[in-house]
Amino acid sequence: AARIAWLFVKMEWLRAKEWMLGIWYSIKLAIMEIWYSAVYSIAVGWDAAVYGIQVAWIETLAFLNKAWVKSGAFLEGAWITTVEVFKKAWAGFKQFWGNTIDWIARKMMNVWIWWKKLTDPNFNEGAAKKQLDDMLAGDKQERSDNANAAKDKAEKDAAAKRVELEKETQTELDEIDKARSEKRKLAKEQFDSGLAGANQYVEEGLQNTIQRF
């Protein structure tokens, strides 16, 4: 009877021990779940913060680079326009100066014709004036043609340089966008890798905890 009683007590003790171990394992598993959840949350939060900073920095650099390129293009475009205006103004000034010289020459030639008329009875005043008018008119037309040609050339040169500048600027902007996309892709891959590592750490930790029970 004593042996049966002892076996009964031992069996009840084992049941109680199993019950207590079950409670302990449940508590331990809950603690480990909380721990790994906290670790996962911290890891995800850190990776997300780093990823956000990386993206913000990448976008900031891209914005600054684009602003620099556009500013340079604006200044270069302004210089092209300035050169064009200067060339046109120079062509106009040369035309004006030539016309001024012709005006002075006409006055002087009229004086010479008047004097020649007084001193030479055979002098043909009409023919001399016509010759003078034809010569000055030809010179004026030549200056006008040259000035128009110079202005047209200035416009064409400026237009060609603007097209070239626009292409170069767009190429630089495209390269900036390409570099920005590649950097964002790399940052996203690092972020995804960090999340995958955190998931793997939590899963392996919980599996190891369960296997120990």
Side-chain angles (χ1 to χ4, degrees):
R3 186 175 181 182
I4 294 174
W6 169 249
L7 291 175
F8 176 77
V9 171
K10 188 176 181 180
M11 184 178 63
E12 291 299 324
W13 164 250
L14 292 175
R15 288 179 179 175
K17 182 180 178 181
E18 183 180 358
W19 177 76
M20 293 177 66
L21 286 175
I23 294 176
W24 166 245
Y25 290 149
S26 298
I27 295 173
K28 186 178 180 181
L29 181 60
I31 292 173
M32 295 305 295
E33 287 179 348
I34 294 173
W35 166 252
Y36 284 116
S37 296
V39 171
Y40 178 77
S41 298
I42 292 172
V44 171
W46 173 257
D47 287 341
V50 171
Y51 175 66
I53 293 173
Q54 286 179 328
V55 170
W57 179 246
I58 290 169
E59 293 297 332
T60 300
L61 284 180
F63 173 78
L64 292 176
N65 287 334
K66 284 187 174 182
W68 176 258
V69 170
K70 290 180 179 179
S71 298
F74 174 78
L75 293 176
E76 190 171 351
W79 174 250
I80 291 172
T81 301
T82 301
V83 171
E84 178 187 4
V85 172
F86 176 79
K87 287 182 177 180
K88 287 183 176 180
W90 177 247
F93 173 77
K94 288 196 298 183
Q95 183 180 10
F96 167 77
W97 181 253
N99 292 338
T100 301
I101 296 299
D102 279 358
W103 181 83
I104 296 173
R106 179 183 292 276
K107 295 297 183 181
M108 294 178 64
M109 289 301 297
N110 285 335
V111 172
W112 181 82
I113 291 172
W114 174 78
W115 174 255
K116 192 69 175 175
K117 180 182 177 181
L118 292 177
T119 58
D120 186 359
N122 297 323
F123 179 71
N124 190 341
E125 179 184 5
K129 287 185 175 181
K130 184 178 184 306
Q131 184 179 2
L132 176 63
D133 291 340
D134 291 342
M135 181 185 67
L136 294 179
D139 291 344
K140 183 176 181 180
Q141 183 62 43
E142 183 180 358
R143 284 193 300 272
S144 178
D145 293 340
N146 291 337
N148 291 334
K151 291 177 181 179
D152 291 340
K153 186 176 184 302
E155 290 182 358
K156 290 179 181 179
D157 290 344
K161 290 181 179 179
R162 289 191 184 98
V163 171
E164 183 179 0
L165 174 61
E166 184 177 355
K167 290 181 179 178
E168 292 177 353
T169 302
Q170 188 60 46
T171 299
E172 292 182 12
L173 293 177
D174 292 340
E175 290 177 354
I176 292 173
D177 286 334
K178 182 180 179 181
R180 178 178 63 87
S181 298
E182 291 176 351
K183 290 178 180 179
R184 289 200 60 165
K185 181 180 179 181
L186 179 60
K188 185 63 167 58
E189 290 175 353
Q190 293 175 346
F191 175 67
D192 292 339
S193 177
L195 288 183
N199 283 327
Q200 183 179 0
Y201 174 77
V202 171
E203 291 176 358
E204 291 179 352
L206 291 176
Q207 288 177 359
N208 292 333
T209 301
I210 294 173
Q211 290 175 359
R212 290 173 185 173
F213 292 160

